[in-house]
Amino acid sequence: MRKNTIRLVVLLGAISVIGIILIQIYWVRKAFDLKEKQFDQTIQIALRNTAEKLAAFGQFSLPNQDLVNQVSTNYYVVNLNNTIDAKALQYYLISEFDKLNIKTDFEYGIYDCSSDKMVYGNYVTADKSIEKKELKILPKLDKFTYYFGVYFPDRTSYITSGMDNWVLTSIMLLIVIIFFGYAMFIILQQRRLSEVQRDFINNMTHEFKTPLSTILISSETLSNSDITSNPQRLSTYAGIIKEEAGRLNNQVERVLQSAKTERQEFTLNKEQVNVHALINNATESLLPNMQSKQGKFILKLNAAKHIINADKQHLTNVLFNLLDNAIKYSVTSPLITISTYNNEDYLYLSVSDNGIGIKKEHRKRVFDKFFRVPVGNVHDVKGFGLGLSYVKSIVLAHKWKIRLESEVHQGSTFTLEIPLQK
C-alpha cells in the first residue's frame, strides 16, 4: 500500500472517528438535558400536589403565584404562606414522589420565622436498607415567610441512571474507537516493517554484490591458462578471493548472530574479563583501519576496578560494533576516545567519536533492528543496521545499561554501565 494512500486512510478514519465522537457527545447531552427537564417538571408537579394536600389538610388557601420555586438545580422551595405540619409534609412528599415514580433520596426542611432559620428537616432514602446520611443545612430564602425546601443530593446520578441505553452505546462506540486505533497502529507498523525489510534487502544486496563481483572477476582471471606462468599474480588473486569470501562470511555471521539474539538462542558464558586488556586488543586490531583514514584512538583508562564478570566473546563483539560505528560515521579523520572510570559499585565504559552525530528524533530508534540513521544515500555507509541492535541485546542479557549522548556534527558517546562484583 502506498504511503499517500495510508495517510489518506488514517486521515479520513480520524476525521470519521472525531465526527462520531462529537455526534455522540451532542446526542448524549441532548438526552441528559431532556431527562433533566422531565425531572424538574415531575418534581414541580409533585411539590404542587403536596402543597395542595397540605392546604386541604390545614384548611388554608395557597398563594396565587410563586408557589413552587427552583432555587438551584437540586433545591426547590414551596411557598405556602401558612404554618406547616411537619409529619403531614413528610407523608405527602413520600406519597407524591411514589406516585410519580421518583426513586431518589431527598432532604426537606421547614423555615421557622421566629428563629429565622430552617429548623426542622429529615433525610429520606429511596432504599430503606441504606442508612440515612447526614442532614445538609438548607439555605433560607428571605422572599417568603412560611415555606419548606426540598433538596435532592443525588439528582445528577439519578438522571444518568435512567440513560442506560446511551451509556451502552457510548461503551460500544469506545470499543469501536479502540479497535480502530489498534487497526491503524497495526497498519502503520506493518508499513514501517515493510520499509525496513525493503531497506534491509537493498543494503544486503549491495553488501553482497561487491564481494561476489570481485570473486567472480578473480575466478575468471584464475581460469585463464596464462596466469599459471605468473605465480605472483596467482597468489594475489587467490588472496583477493580469500579476503572477499571472508568478508561475505562475516556478513552472513552478523545476520545469523542477530537472528539468534532476537530469538534468545544464545547463552552467556561468563568469566572474569579484564576490560582494559580487551580495549587494548580491540584498538590494536582496528589500528590499520584507523591509520588508513588518518584517525587516532585516545585511551583514558582511569578505572581502578576493571575486572568484570561477563561473556568475553559477546563483550568483544559489543566493543567492536561500537568502535566500527564510530569509525564509519566519522566524516573527517576519526578521533575516537575510549574511557573507563568507576563510580561507587559500577564500571563505566564510554566510546566517543567526532562523527556526524545523531538527531534527537533518531536517538531512541538507533537500537532498533535494521534501523539506520538517514545520511542521504542509503549506501554511503555500509551495513545492515544490526550492530547496535546486537549491542542492546547483549547489554540487556547481561542486565547492564547503555546510554547515548549525541549532537549533530559534534559526535556521539555510547556509555555502558556495568555493575562490579561485590
Side-chain angles (χ1 to χ4, degrees):
M1 188 180 291
R2 287 184 175 183
K3 185 183 294 185
N4 292 336
T5 304
I6 293 177
R7 287 179 178 175
L8 181 62
V9 169
V10 173
L11 179 61
L12 293 177
I15 292 174
S16 301
V17 168
I18 293 172
I20 293 172
I21 291 174
L22 292 177
I23 292 172
Q24 182 72 4
I25 292 173
Y26 172 78
W27 285 113
V28 169
R29 183 64 191 176
K30 291 285 286 184
F32 181 82
D33 291 342
L34 181 61
K35 287 282 186 181
E36 192 175 40
K37 189 175 181 180
Q38 290 175 346
F39 179 82
D40 292 337
Q41 291 176 346
T42 306
I43 292 298
Q44 294 207 22
I45 292 171
L47 293 178
R48 185 176 294 274
N49 293 340
T50 300
E52 291 174 353
K53 290 186 176 181
L54 283 173
F57 176 79
Q59 297 181 350
F60 59 86
S61 300
L62 295 173
N64 295 327
Q65 56 184 4
D66 292 335
L67 179 61
V68 180
N69 298 267
Q70 186 172 359
V71 180
S72 63
T73 55
N74 53 0
Y75 183 46
Y76 301 82
V77 167
V78 181
N79 175 30
L80 295 182
N81 200 23
N82 208 313
T83 56
I84 303 169
D85 186 290
K87 293 183 179 179
L89 172 61
Q90 178 168 327
Y91 172 78
Y92 288 133
L93 283 174
I94 295 174
S95 176
E96 289 300 321
F97 288 163
D98 285 341
K99 283 181 183 179
L100 296 173
N101 199 30
I102 300 174
K103 306 294 184 182
T104 183
D105 297 357
F106 68 91
E107 178 185 343
Y108 71 90
I110 301 173
Y111 175 72
D112 183 5
C113 58
S114 61
S115 61
D116 191 28
K117 59 177 65 175
M118 304 291 284
V119 292
Y120 184 85
N122 193 15
Y123 192 100
V124 181
T125 59
D127 188 352
K128 303 301 181 182
S129 61
I130 300 177
E131 295 183 1
K132 293 182 179 181
K133 299 180 182 179
E134 185 179 352
L135 289 174
K136 176 183 174 65
I137 300 176
L138 300 180
K140 65 186 185 66
L141 204 65
D142 296 333
K143 185 177 179 181
F144 308 120
T145 305
Y146 298 100
Y147 63 90
F148 68 89
V150 181
Y151 174 73
F152 297 91
D154 301 326
R155 175 180 180 272
T156 302
S157 59
Y158 175 72
I159 293 173
T160 53
S161 66
M163 299 173 61
D164 295 340
N165 291 335
W166 286 104
V167 173
L168 181 61
T169 55
S170 298
I171 293 174
M172 293 178 64
L173 176 61
L174 179 62
I175 293 173
V176 170
I177 292 172
I178 293 173
F179 175 77
F180 172 80
Y182 179 73
M184 289 296 101
F185 172 76
I186 294 297
I187 290 174
L188 294 175
Q189 188 180 48
Q190 289 297 323
R191 182 178 69 84
R192 188 177 68 84
L193 290 176
S194 177
E195 291 177 351
V196 168
Q197 184 184 35
R198 184 181 65 250
D199 292 341
F200 172 71
I201 292 173
N202 291 337
N203 292 335
M204 184 175 66
T205 303
H206 179 80
E207 290 289 324
F208 286 173
K209 186 176 180 180
T210 302
L212 285 173
S213 299
T214 304
I215 291 173
L216 180 61
I217 293 172
S218 300
S219 300
E220 290 177 352
T221 304
L222 289 176
S223 63
N224 192 334
S225 57
D226 295 336
I227 200 172
T228 55
S229 60
N230 192 336
Q232 183 65 32
R233 288 184 64 196
L234 182 65
S235 176
T236 300
Y237 281 106
I240 292 173
I241 292 175
K242 181 179 179 181
E243 181 180 348
E244 295 299 327
R247 180 180 168 187
L248 274 175
N249 183 66
N250 289 336
Q251 298 287 20
V252 172
E253 283 296 325
R254 183 173 295 183
V255 175
L256 294 176
Q257 192 179 62
S258 176
K260 285 183 178 181
T261 56
E262 184 180 15
R263 295 193 301 265
Q264 298 182 344
E265 293 181 356
F266 68 96
T267 55
L268 297 177
N269 299 314
K270 292 186 177 182
E271 57 182 297
Q272 297 295 304
V273 178
N274 187 325
V275 175
H276 287 179
L278 203 68
I279 293 172
N280 287 323
N281 292 335
T283 52
E284 287 178 9
S285 299
L286 293 172
L287 192 58
N289 191 9
M290 286 288 283
Q291 290 175 342
S292 67
K293 294 189 174 185
Q294 299 180 343
K296 181 181 179 181
F297 285 120
I298 299 176
L299 302 184
K300 296 181 179 179
L301 309 181
N302 299 322
K305 300 177 181 179
H306 50 83
I307 306 297
I308 63 172
N309 190 32
D311 187 302
K312 186 176 182 179
Q313 183 61 45
H314 283 301
L315 180 57
T316 302
N317 292 339
V318 165
L319 187 58
F320 267 96
N321 273 297
L322 294 177
L323 294 175
D324 185 53
N325 277 355
I327 296 172
K328 286 194 300 185
Y329 288 98
S330 295
V331 178
T332 57
S333 300
L335 184 63
I336 300 173
T337 302
I338 307 170
S339 58
T340 63
Y341 60 94
N342 294 121
N343 185 4
E344 296 179 353
D345 295 326
Y346 292 91
L347 167 69
Y348 292 88
L349 167 61
S350 296
V351 177
S352 302
D353 61 61
N354 61 338
I356 60 176
I358 303 171
K359 292 182 179 179
K360 187 176 181 179
E361 60 265 28
H362 300 314
R363 289 176 202 161
K364 289 184 178 181
R365 298 187 59 197
V366 293
F367 296 104
D368 292 348
K369 195 173 183 180
F370 303 127
F371 178 78
R372 301 179 68 204
V373 177
V375 288
N377 189 331
V378 74
H379 298 311
D380 285 348
V381 180
K382 300 180 183 298
F384 296 148
L386 297 174
L388 290 179
S389 173
Y390 169 78
V391 169
K392 187 65 177 290
S393 299
I394 298 303
V395 167
L396 292 178
H398 279 86
K399 297 182 180 179
W400 300 343
K401 293 180 181 178
I402 185 168
R403 183 174 69 252
L404 167 62
E405 298 173 7
S406 183
E407 294 293 337
V408 178
H409 305 307
Q410 295 183 21
S412 304
T413 300
F414 290 87
T415 303
L416 297 178
E417 181 183 289
I418 304 171
L420 294 168
Q421 285 183 303
K422 296 182 179 179

